Amino acid sequence: MRQKRYFRKGDIVVYTLLIVIFSILGVQITKFKASDAANAEVYVNNQLKYVYPLQSEERDIFVPTDIGGVNIKIKDKKIRVTTSNSPLKLNVKQGWIGQPGEVIIGVPDRLIIKVVGKTNERTDDVDFVIK
């Protein structure tokens, strides 16, 4: 009677190849350098109105909006909305943000607060052109 085989020789080769590829990708991902948060951009009505540096000292700021305004607090290199006139106050409930790419959005206020990191690259360089 023949014994049931779970893996064939080709299966082992494919699985080994996949493990090697994912291991290399995992090592490469850990080499990415995270940028530090530098500034907070405040957009009102889809226009950049203010740019505040994220600092360790506590700072309270009032930003006027269409429905009254919001109070913003900067502390320990993080930012948050403390009060708002919007009905559900969702932008207040979003809490502290401090990593580059994080965003607070207030729809009735038409407010967006975005944390941006430091960039040392030139932004006007062209990477490639496709014809």
Side-chain angles (χ1 to χ4, degrees):
M1 198 168 203
R2 228 174 150 178
Q3 196 175 25
K4 195 173 190 181
R5 295 174 70 188
Y6 293 104
F7 295 107
R8 295 187 180 136
K9 291 179 186 178
D11 294 339
I12 294 173
V13 171
V14 170
Y15 293 143
T16 305
L17 184 66
L18 287 174
I19 289 171
V20 168
I21 289 172
F22 284 116
S23 298
I24 291 171
L25 286 175
V27 169
Q28 293 298 322
I29 288 173
T30 59
K31 289 182 181 179
F32 284 131
K33 185 178 175 184
S35 63
D36 294 331
N39 295 323
E41 297 177 345
V42 179
Y43 294 85
V44 179
N45 291 331
N46 206 20
Q47 295 178 351
L48 179 63
K49 294 289 184 178
Y50 309 101
V51 177
Y52 296 110
L54 293 178
Q55 57 195 15
S56 297
E57 299 84 28
E58 187 172 331
R59 182 174 178 190
D60 292 318
I61 303 160
F62 178 77
V63 177
T65 62
D66 291 341
I67 62 170
V70 296
N71 289 324
I72 297 173
K73 179 177 279 198
I74 299 173
K75 181 180 176 184
D76 297 330
K77 296 192 177 187
K78 294 183 179 181
I79 188 168
R80 74 172 295 187
V81 176
T82 54
T83 60
S84 173
N85 290 329
S86 63
L88 297 177
K89 302 194 184 332
L90 294 177
N91 51 2
V92 176
K93 294 176 184 177
Q94 291 180 33
W96 293 97
I97 61 172
Q99 296 296 320
E102 291 183 322
V103 178
I104 294 176
I105 300 174
V107 176
D109 294 311
R110 300 190 66 169
L111 172 83
I112 298 174
I113 300 173
K114 183 181 353 178
V115 176
V116 294
K118 299 176 186 175
T119 56
N120 293 334
E121 305 174 359
R122 291 179 46 168
T123 57
D124 58 348
D125 289 343
V126 176
D127 290 336
F128 56 88
V129 176
I130 298 176
K131 290 185 179 182

